[in-house]
């Protein structure tokens, strides 16, 4: 990519930047040029539609309606979906469905007891995990920036961050003597003068399946806290694609998002997760981006959410409403927990069978 | 964006570039740096999965299955969808579902009788129209490139092409005396030395609703043919979001894609369209990118499709399978045509009522 043209910044972007600079100067420094310039247009049709929802007369456009006020639709399509058409046919907001965002936020707290009352953003809905990586790159990685990854990492980071954003992947050694190589991690994080760092952590790790023990997590957090204290501004992209797919004792059950969320004013924790693998809906494309930084409050997070939704608006407009509504219905269903547990047990049994088989001499 | 780093090009990208350079040197010149560097990874898990489909033993990963071989799924979700789970829960390919791509291609020919036997690419599925614009920007627009648009254009082009890709919008005057301002269009297209041009045409036009008459279309085509003959290499992005929403006589019924598809070796016609507004499924997020250039053949188009799928792979991985399957089912349904016609008549009546009302003195 050639040099990003310095044009006049849109006042709506400047408004968000002022909030971010005031609340968290470190976070402002972490933003890419694209991240600084992006905003969610309040004045456009979608902005007007968002404002008109809840008013008595909604004369904004977007999607046509039947004479009875329900969304216009073809019966041959509607007959295949057992959900209210209003949950399926109209656009979802670029931010994602508010009901799903609120529920997923509750679920993050439920899955991360050690978060306690730490304030985090509302999740912004993405077209699943890859899209989260891509939008994280948009907001934080300029062409030529380095992104720190373990030497064993998901190949699609290259297409997303290098091909897509022009960033360079720099690697640290992941394993030493069968453990997390904390020294290699520390050395890479502190290489060169203190400054902006973009880091991707992915546990369980694709492709190895590795998840750190609680002790290893503590070591990582300590190293990151020291690096932040030394003046590094760290964007930590947490790829939680495989969250919950853990079938062994003694390894960390919570996402590393929890201890990072409140670690340091110089550490932005950006959790990327989603329904995809946690709920066996690979083809639905429902993911989330959730931000946390020490001292972050609703106003700061709202500015970040607006920038994220703006980046999404200028990339895919919004993610599938039908998929979001199906997931919200599932998360609200009294049957959900038991059904999920049943699938977990099946997967765990398979894991144990493979583990037994691998003990045989021939492997 | 800073300068795109010149790193070693991936051999899989180089393979596609060789095909494109050999078949159409002009088209190769149209590609952006990102467009030149992108490819769809054949060696990755998704590549292996694609190759394994149809073999007797499929040991590749991607999505878990139940003991009976059907996709693993939660019943609380599956019970709300009257489609075979295999059409809903697994990933769709980054290219899009093959059945839907083939059907949409047939439908383009049906909607564009004047295409005749002109060869066009298979459509690649996008997360609807905005995503098509975004991926077109990825493939063809470098930061600093100019994109020619009419002075009345959809505001989201700015977020997509300027904020997203760093391109600059340059405008031509759309209307003169209530007609398409062909002189302004011609002047803008031929401004400066002949070279690469990126152009967006959008009929019916958002925000004005304007669609050219057949005579105006002929004028546009003539101007573009001459500009191409003068050595301009024109990427024409055709935003057909509102295709078919035409309720008046005397204006062009076909997309301008038809006359552009076979116009000149220096004109790439890139049709962006989708189910969104044509079939009243705004929230589904199903769109398509279809390429045509004079002399284009299956091998050239296949290379372009691979680059497009690679860009999608590194951005959202793939679009919602459930939405694609619902649309394929609709397009295969014997009820589809009649139901669509019924909705068209409702919309047309409303259009006529508004038109009558606007004749009243008070407006």
């Amino acid at each position: 990519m050639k040099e990003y043209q310095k044009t006049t910044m849109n006042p709506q972007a400047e408004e968000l930047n002022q909030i971010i600079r005031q609340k968290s100067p470190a976070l402002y420094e972490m933003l890419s040029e694209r991240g600084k310039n992006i905003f969610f247009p309040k004045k456009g049709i979608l902005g007007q539609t968002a404002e008109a929802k809840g008013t008595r007369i909604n004369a904004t456009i977007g999607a046509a309606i039947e004479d009875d006020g329900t969304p216009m639709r073809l019966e041959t399509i509607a007959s295949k979906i057992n959900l209210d058409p209003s949950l399926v046919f109209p656009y979802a907001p670029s931010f994602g469905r508010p009901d799903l965002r609120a529920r997923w936020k509750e679920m993050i707290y439920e899955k991360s007891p050690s978060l306690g009352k730490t304030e985090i953003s509302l999740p912004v809905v993405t077209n699943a995990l890859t899209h989260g990586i891509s939008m994280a790159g948009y907001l934080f990685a300029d062409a030529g920036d380095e992104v720190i990854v373990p030497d064993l990492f998901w190949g699609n980071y290259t297409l997303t961050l290098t091909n897509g954003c022009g960033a360079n992947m720099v690697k640290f050694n992941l394993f030493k003597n069968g453990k997390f190589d904390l020294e290699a991690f520390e050395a890479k994080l502190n290489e060169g003068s203190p400054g902006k760092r973009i880091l991707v952590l992915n546990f369980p790790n694709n492709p190895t399946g590795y998840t750190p023990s609680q002790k290893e997590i503590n070591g990582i957090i300590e190293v990151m806290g020291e690096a932040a204290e030394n003046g590094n501004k760290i964007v930590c992209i947490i790829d939680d694609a495989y969250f919950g797919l853990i079938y062994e004792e003694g390894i960390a059950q919570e996402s590393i998002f929890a201890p990072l969320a409140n670690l340091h004013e110089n550490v932005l924790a950006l959790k990327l997760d989603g329904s995809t693998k946690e709920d066996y809906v690979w083809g639905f494309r429902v993911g989330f981006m959730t931000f946390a930084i020490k001292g972050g409050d609703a106003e700061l997070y709202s500015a970040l959410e607006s920038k994220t939704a703006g980046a999404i608006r200028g990339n895919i407009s919004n993610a599938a409403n039908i998929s979001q509504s199906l997931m919200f219905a599932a998360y609200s269903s009294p049957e959900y927990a038991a059904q999920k547990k049943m699938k977990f047990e099946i997967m765990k049994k398979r894991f144990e069978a493979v583990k037994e088989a691998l003990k045989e001499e021939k492997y």
Side-chain angles (χ1 to χ4, degrees), chain A:
Chain A
M1 280 155 277
K2 297 183 195 153
E3 184 76 30
Y4 193 93
Q5 302 290 305
K6 303 279 178 203
T7 50
T8 319
M9 188 172 283
N10 187 294
Q12 295 184 69
E14 189 45 48
E15 209 177 291
L16 299 175
N17 292 343
Q18 277 180 16
I19 294 169
I20 295 171
R21 268 196 304 263
Q22 188 210 323
K23 298 271 177 180
S24 172
L27 204 161
Y28 185 73
E29 281 182 47
M30 296 176 197
L31 291 171
S32 66
E33 285 303 310
R34 289 201 291 178
K36 286 175 179 148
N37 278 279
I38 196 64
F39 61 97
F40 184 76
K42 279 189 203 160
K43 318 295 175 196
I45 282 171
L46 291 195
Q48 288 165 18
T49 306
E51 284 177 13
K53 273 183 184 168
T55 60
R56 201 175 60 82
I57 297 176
N58 179 351
T60 59
I61 67 162
I65 54 171
E66 304 279 357
D67 288 333
D68 66 1
T70 62
M72 183 160 283
R73 60 197 182 275
L74 302 183
E75 191 48 33
T76 184
I77 301 170
S79 64
K80 294 191 176 61
I81 311 155
N82 310 329
L83 278 176
D84 188 287
S86 69
L87 303 173
V88 171
F89 291 93
Y91 293 115
S94 295
F95 293 84
R97 291 188 61 87
D99 49 10
L100 181 63
R101 298 176 70 200
R103 181 72 192 106
W104 191 258
K105 185 175 179 178
E106 290 171 2
M107 289 167 75
I108 289 178
Y109 280 109
E110 289 163 13
K111 294 168 188 170
S112 321
S114 76
L115 260 184
K117 292 187 188 306
T118 303
E119 275 198 72
I120 65 175
S121 79
L122 262 175
V124 174
V125 174
T126 63
N127 194 75
L129 272 294
T130 300
H131 192 221
I133 302 280
S134 178
M135 292 297 96
Y138 184 117
L139 293 172
F140 299 104
D142 283 307
D145 275 359
E146 293 189 342
V147 176
I148 302 171
V149 291
D151 57 347
L152 298 162
F153 67 93
W154 186 38
N156 206 23
Y157 293 164
T158 306
L159 283 194
T160 312
L161 296 170
T162 302
N163 286 82
C165 301
N168 300 319
M169 314 297 269
V170 296
K171 301 171 204 169
F172 67 90
N173 191 54
L174 179 56
F175 295 126
K176 191 176 176 185
N177 304 327
K179 304 251 175 225
F180 186 85
D181 188 345
L182 196 63
E183 270 178 45
F185 177 68
E186 182 171 19
K188 183 54 73 183
L189 201 57
N190 290 287
E191 209 174 74
S193 321
K196 177 173 161 183
R197 298 287 186 272
I198 307 170
L199 165 69
V200 185
L201 294 180
N202 165 227
F203 307 126
N205 170 269
N206 182 350
T208 66
Y210 163 75
T211 302
S213 67
Q214 191 54 52
K215 196 181 152 193
E216 288 172 310
I217 292 277
N218 296 346
I220 294 169
I221 296 298
E222 196 182 325
V223 161
M224 288 182 66
E226 282 168 12
E229 194 57 34
N230 289 338
N232 291 292
K233 317 281 191 295
I234 307 171
V235 180
C236 185
I237 299 171
I238 302 159
D239 177 352
D240 275 346
Y242 294 89
F243 177 82
L245 303 185
I246 291 176
Y247 311 108
E248 283 190 293
E249 304 291 319
I251 51 181
Q253 299 292 319
E254 280 190 15
S255 165
I256 197 166
F257 176 70
L260 284 173
N262 200 27
L263 178 64
H264 199 284
E265 288 83 357
N266 284 348
V267 177
L268 175 67
L270 170 45
K271 180 172 168 57
L272 308 179
D273 55 16
S275 311
T276 309
K277 293 182 169 75
E278 290 193 41
D279 296 302
Y280 315 105
V281 288
W282 304 271
F284 276 36
R285 319 314 292 141
V286 176
F288 303 90
M289 295 176 75
T290 309
F291 300 91
I293 187 167
K294 188 172 185 179
D297 63 9
E299 199 185 2
L300 176 68
Y301 292 139
S302 172
L304 274 177
E305 291 161 28
S306 289
K307 282 188 175 284
T308 308
I312 290 172
R313 171 75 177 143
N315 174 218
I316 63 165
S317 269
N318 45 77
N321 202 355
I322 182 171
S323 299
Q324 295 182 51
S325 290
L326 283 166
M327 292 322 300
F328 179 70
Y331 298 144
S332 311
S333 160
E335 302 159 347
Y336 170 71
Q339 290 182 5
K340 186 161 172 178
K341 186 157 192 304
M342 206 169 69
K343 301 302 174 189
F344 179 84
E345 295 301 333
I346 294 172
M347 298 294 278
K348 190 176 176 188
K349 261 184 210 152
R350 290 183 190 170
F351 169 81
E352 282 158 0
V354 170
K355 211 175 148 187
E356 275 306 304
L358 288 174
K359 282 186 191 161
E360 288 175 31
E361 289 233 332
K362 58 183 171 181
Y363 295 105

